[in-house]
């Protein structure tokens, strides 16, 4: 169906005959696929007798060839899927099936996009970036220490380079603009840390999402389009993001997070703020001091500096902050 949508994405009329010839299928097969595009992805298609079919509004779909060209220096194979439960889950399945890393999977839509701490990630069709990179971990678990902070930094730098100068970081890896979440990072491990192991770097960026596409996100959020006032070319953005990621990952590999901590702190939004750190039922109140060389968040708790780390922790601002 994605191939058919690519032919239609220019928003012009195409006859059923021409579409069938281009895809090597019958006109009735085209008709069925058009119905699938409407029912499965909610895409409006005008059907005008004698003229053919056209999208109600043109769209730019993700294109693996463009993204691979934009990231040729990295040499990462890129796959674009129309819809999948979660790009992280898909990468984990491909790794389980013996696929060698590195490789990248993007999707136009996720039906069960995963966020941190068991939350879901809103993933409407053809609006945003849902991207997962598989990496082989050769240097032991030290290599993945604070890796998610490094990925957040690469994402924030990409958004800044697109004109969102105020994009900054909330520990551990949320990217915010004006206090609203614009991107998130979810790392998942696959395999045996004592043997061959892979890490899946999952990144979600709210790119062109509008209020009515968001499906009730339960926290303040924004998108690049809402901030910049113009639609963003997601293929160029994916290229920029992966290039930045490649650069920051190789710095992380060489020097660990210690070599990136100062830069992370430059973009840190909550230093000096009063915050509540939640771990399960336990809440610690303190003032945010910064992050340490292992990526832990340091708080001043009743005059004592304490460092906290772990994927299940959640940091919130206190009302008096
Ligand atoms: C967060 O909660 O902030 C992390 C969100 C991560 C979302 C991305 S979208 C691509 C990848 N696939 C997923 O299912 N999740 C990540």
């Amino acid at each position: 169906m994605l191939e058919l949508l690519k032919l239609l994405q220019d928003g012009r009329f195409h006859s059923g005959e021409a579409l069938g010839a281009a895809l090597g299928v019958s006109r009735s097969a085209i008709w069925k696929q058009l119905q699938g595009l409407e029912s499965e992805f909610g895409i409006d298609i005008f059907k005008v007798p004698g003229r053919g079919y056209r999208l109600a509004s043109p769209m730019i779909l993700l294109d693996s060839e463009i993204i691979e060209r934009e990231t040729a220096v990295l040499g990462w194979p890129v796959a674009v899927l129309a819809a999948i439960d979660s790009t992280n889950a898909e990468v984990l399945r491909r790794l389980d099936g013996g696929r060698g890393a590195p490789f990248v999977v993007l999707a136009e839509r996720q039906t069960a996009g995963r966020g941190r701490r068991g939350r879901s990630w809103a993933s409407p069709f053809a609006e945003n970036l849902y991207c997962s990179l598989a990496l082989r971990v050769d240097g032991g678990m030290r290599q993945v220490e604070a890796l998610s902070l490094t990925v957040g930094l690469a994402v924030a730098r990409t958004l800044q380079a697109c004109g969102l100068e105020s994009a900054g970081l909330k520990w551990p890896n949320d990217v915010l603009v004006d206090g609203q979440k614009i991107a998130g990072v979810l790392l998942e491990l696959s395999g045996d840390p004592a043997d061959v192991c892979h890490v899946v770097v999952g990144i979600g960026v709210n790119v062109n999402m509008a209020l009515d596409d968001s499906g009730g996100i339960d926290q303040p959020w924004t998108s690049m389009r809402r901030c910049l006032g113009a639609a963003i070319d997601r293929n160029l953005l994916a290229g920029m993001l992966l290039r930045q990621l490649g650069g920051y990952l190789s710095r992380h590999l060489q020097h660990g997070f210690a070599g990136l901590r100062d830069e992370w702190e430059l973009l840190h939004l909550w230093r000096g703020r009063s915050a509540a750190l939640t771990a399960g039922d336990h809440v610690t109140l303190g003032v945010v001091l910064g992050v340490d060389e292992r990526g832990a968040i340091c708080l001043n708790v009743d005059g004592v500096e304490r460092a906290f780390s772990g994927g299940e922790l959640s940091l919130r601002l206190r009302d008096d902050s």
Side-chain angles (χ1 to χ4, degrees):
M1 267 193 288
L2 207 52
E3 290 311 308
L4 174 59
L5 197 51
K6 271 188 191 157
L7 295 174
L8 290 169
Q9 66 179 330
D10 57 11
R12 297 192 183 157
F13 274 109
H14 297 263
S15 70
E17 201 176 347
L19 293 169
L23 296 181
V25 297
S26 66
R27 283 167 61 179
S28 65
I30 292 292
W31 177 254
K32 264 197 198 136
Q33 287 193 34
L34 289 167
Q35 283 178 317
L37 288 175
E38 287 181 311
S39 60
E40 212 177 301
F41 301 121
I43 297 169
D44 288 334
I45 299 168
F46 294 150
K47 306 176 184 83
V48 179
R51 296 194 71 186
Y53 312 105
R54 80 167 178 84
L55 297 185
S57 44
M59 55 171 68
I60 302 178
L61 293 169
L62 291 171
D63 185 323
S64 58
E65 277 178 30
I66 299 177
I67 300 170
E68 280 184 355
R69 199 169 60 228
E70 291 290 319
T71 56
V73 288
L74 302 166
W76 295 340
V78 173
V80 172
L81 309 174
I84 196 76
D85 50 356
S86 145
T87 54
N88 270 25
E90 176 62 15
V91 165
L92 288 167
R93 284 191 291 266
R94 290 182 185 201
L95 288 168
D96 279 351
R99 172 88 194 260
F103 64 90
V104 175
V105 172
L106 292 126
E108 289 290 10
R109 170 174 175 239
Q110 296 186 118
T111 52
R114 333 213 254 232
R116 283 184 65 237
R117 299 185 300 116
R119 297 170 90 149
S120 58
W121 187 256
S123 309
F125 184 78
E127 301 279 351
N128 297 324
L129 277 187
Y130 321 116
C131 173
S132 298
L133 163 70
L135 285 176
R136 192 185 155 103
V137 179
D138 284 318
M141 279 301 104
R142 284 303 296 265
Q143 200 179 312
V144 290
E145 186 175 84
L147 187 65
S148 75
L149 278 79
T150 296
V151 174
L153 178 57
V155 177
R157 285 300 197 199
T158 306
L159 298 189
Q160 287 184 332
C162 292
L164 286 164
E165 282 97 9
S166 65
L169 293 161
K170 178 202 152 194
W171 187 88
N173 45 37
D174 285 355
V175 184
L176 308 183
V177 174
D178 298 332
Q180 298 172 314
K181 185 152 167 173
I182 195 164
V185 172
L186 178 68
L187 261 52
E188 298 187 64
L189 281 175
S190 150
D192 178 359
D195 189 18
V196 179
C197 176
H198 291 90
V199 62
V200 180
V201 175
I203 302 172
V205 184
N206 298 335
V207 185
N208 292 322
M209 187 160 64
L211 272 180
D212 45 349
D213 305 314
S214 65
I217 301 176
D218 61 355
Q219 57 185 324
W221 66 274
T222 191
S223 67
M224 296 179 74
R225 183 184 196 157
R226 286 177 73 191
C227 295
L228 295 168
I232 307 296
D233 182 326
R234 293 176 304 138
N235 286 307
L236 298 186
L237 177 68
M240 279 175 78
L241 177 65
L242 291 171
R243 285 197 309 270
Q244 285 279 5
L245 193 58
Y248 279 94
L249 287 175
S250 64
R251 285 169 66 188
H252 186 105
L253 210 65
Q254 278 182 313
H255 310 292
F257 183 68
L260 293 159
R261 183 179 75 145
D262 289 349
E263 187 179 341
W264 199 95
E265 284 291 355
L266 282 179
L267 273 65
H268 188 182
L269 295 166
W270 285 14
R271 204 175 39 229
R273 307 287 300 266
S274 294
L277 187 84
T278 307
D281 292 338
H282 191 259
V283 180
T284 307
L285 303 180
V287 174
V288 178
L289 298 172
V291 293
D292 70 12
E293 300 207 329
R294 307 183 72 176
I297 186 82
C298 300
L299 300 184
N300 179 331
V301 182
D302 298 327
V304 179
E305 179 171 340
R306 291 176 57 191
F308 301 85
S309 60
E312 291 310 306
L313 297 177
S314 143
L315 193 64
R316 292 194 185 285
L317 285 182
R318 285 168 68 193
D319 296 342
D320 59 348
S321 181

